Amino acid sequence: MAAADSHSASAYYGCEKTARGTSLTSFYSKLTRESLLQLTGPDASTFLQGQVTCDVSKLSASSGMPGVYCSVQGRVICDFLLCQLEPDHLLLRMRRDILPPALEVLSKYSVFSKVALQADPEDLTLLGCWGEDSAQILHDIVGAIPEKPFDTVVDEGFVIIRTPTVGDVFECYLDTRASSVARELQRRFTLADENEWHVRQIQNGVARIEASTSGEFVPQVLNYDLSSHISFTKGCYTGQEVVARLHYRGKPKRRLYYAELTDQQSIDDSPIEVGAPLFSAGSGRPVGNLINTAEAGSRRHCMLVTATEQGATEGLHLDPKRGQNLALTSAPLAVELR
């Protein structure tokens, strides 16, 4: 089902549930493309502090944070959203298709610390919630609500995190063994297609690493230095030398932009692949890459792309021969949140 039709379908089925209190303006989706990596043990925080770009020492049960894990060459292996259930119990949410390589590389270093890593805990499920009444509904269900981006509400059986997007948008990690919260949430919200969640994230400039782009880019190319993913005051971490040198002595050759595909016919002619090169309309040479994409309506795609400033100014397209032109807009909102 196309994203443009999903709201209408959701509203239709929601109408049958209004007698039981289902909202027609607030939605939830199961985040099947996302996964969780669990870290437990007395060294969980100190271990992670020495590996990732964010300052884990500032993490608390009420405040999560985004971050990235880099290779020694300063290339981003994975991005994540970090939250704390207990001082010795952390969760990292990341894309499912990059969980295996992230787990493999982190496991190499975890053997030197008192920390255990577990991928996709079976008792936790991930949901995304958004809409006009979403904050009020969640408050009714759990008795509290995170107010600012990355604020968290943690209690037995659930974690709720406010995302850095326009409006009330939340990620919920629910313990399936404490199913009352999950049942009430699914009763009060209207089910929507997961694609709607990803469209919302892209439109708000939340760049995500996927399998085809893992290990390809320094963080600044994806605007992670502008969106609270990197602390430039913490101690050492893997890849810090490269990341810090670019921050203090250099300038990223490329930056992140929001784009939409305007050549409708090209959508049907060939698939749109994450990581695909972008070409300058002025010279036909590669000047960037496609980072994330989602169908945002009838034969229309929204995208996050990385490109040189000159390439963005001249105009970008996916295919130098067929002219799949992209319409760029101003920098996404998430860039302004640091």
Side-chain angles (χ1 to χ4, degrees):
M1 180 182 296
D5 300 324
S6 192
H7 273 309
S8 59
S10 299
Y12 173 81
Y13 290 110
C15 288
E16 298 181 336
K17 303 177 183 179
T18 52
R20 300 184 308 189
T22 299
S23 171
L24 300 182
T25 58
S26 293
F27 305 88
Y28 84 95
S29 66
K30 297 180 180 180
L31 304 183
T32 61
R33 302 180 206 172
E34 306 292 344
S35 60
L36 293 171
L37 177 60
Q38 179 176 259
L39 284 75
T40 56
D43 293 343
S45 295
T46 54
F47 163 72
L48 203 60
Q49 177 76 336
Q51 299 297 325
V52 299
T53 59
C54 56
D55 191 348
V56 183
S57 68
K58 297 181 179 179
L59 183 70
S60 71
S62 62
S63 182
M65 59 183 61
V68 300
Y69 177 72
C70 295
S71 67
V72 293
Q73 293 80 24
R75 300 297 193 267
V76 180
I77 301 297
C78 67
D79 69 284
F80 58 80
L81 181 56
L82 171 66
C83 66
Q84 175 183 292
L85 278 64
E86 301 285 349
D88 61 352
H89 189 178
L90 310 181
L91 288 177
L92 287 83
R93 187 271 294 133
M94 65 182 68
R95 278 292 174 88
R96 182 172 301 281
D97 62 356
I98 60 172
L99 179 59
L103 178 61
E104 179 181 2
V105 71
L106 285 171
S107 296
K108 293 179 181 179
Y109 300 101
S110 67
V111 296
F112 304 106
S113 302
K114 296 179 180 179
V115 59
L117 281 65
Q118 181 185 357
D120 273 334
E122 294 182 358
D123 54 343
L124 291 176
T125 186
L126 287 74
L127 301 177
C129 299
W130 69 94
E132 295 179 12
D133 306 317
S134 58
Q136 184 61 56
I137 294 172
L138 288 173
H139 188 280
D140 292 345
I141 295 174
V142 304
I145 201 71
E147 299 293 339
K148 301 189 299 295
F150 307 120
D151 279 0
T152 63
V153 173
V154 178
D155 206 336
E156 185 174 357
F158 66 86
V159 178
I160 298 175
I161 306 176
R162 181 180 285 270
T163 68
T165 52
V166 174
D168 293 329
V169 184
F170 306 91
E171 291 188 22
C172 304
Y173 313 149
L174 307 177
D175 190 334
T176 55
R177 296 170 301 182
S179 58
S180 60
V181 172
R183 284 199 306 267
E184 187 66 10
L185 187 152
Q186 294 177 56
R187 184 181 74 85
R188 297 285 300 274
F189 286 87
T190 299
L191 178 63
D193 192 284
E194 184 180 7
N195 187 69
E196 294 190 43
W197 172 268
H198 294 293
V199 168
R200 185 174 295 271
Q201 300 297 300
I202 289 173
Q203 291 176 337
N204 281 272
V206 182
R208 304 298 307 280
I209 294 294
E210 303 185 31
S212 58
T213 56
S214 180
E216 293 295 321
F217 305 107
V218 294
Q220 288 91 335
V221 166
L222 304 174
N223 287 4
Y224 285 148
D225 57 324
L226 306 177
S227 55
S228 304
H229 285 71
I230 304 174
S231 169
F232 291 101
T233 60
K234 63 170 286 186
C236 296
Y237 57 85
T238 305
Q240 182 197 27
E241 183 177 354
V242 175
V243 176
R245 185 188 305 119
L246 180 58
H247 176 71
Y248 290 110
R249 299 182 181 180
K251 179 181 178 181
K253 295 180 180 180
R254 300 179 180 183
R255 279 294 191 179
L256 191 72
Y257 297 88
Y258 175 76
E260 292 188 359
L261 185 61
T262 58
D263 184 351
Q264 303 297 327
Q265 184 61 40
S266 65
I267 294 177
D268 297 328
D269 289 344
S270 60
I272 302 173
E273 298 181 356
V274 169
L278 301 178
F279 298 88
S280 168
S283 66
R285 57 187 173 82
V287 294
N289 295 89
L290 174 61
I291 302 302
N292 301 118
T293 183
E295 187 176 351
S298 179
R299 301 175 67 193
R300 182 171 67 93
H301 281 71
C302 64
M303 304 173 175
L304 288 175
V305 303
T306 185
T308 63
E309 183 177 358
Q310 181 178 350
T313 300
E314 294 178 347
L316 301 172
H317 50 87
L318 283 167
D319 190 321
K321 296 181 180 179
R322 294 165 59 187
Q324 296 168 303
N325 297 321
L326 304 182
L328 297 184
T329 68
S330 58
L333 175 68
V335 173
E336 304 170 4
L337 290 176
R338 68 170 175 171

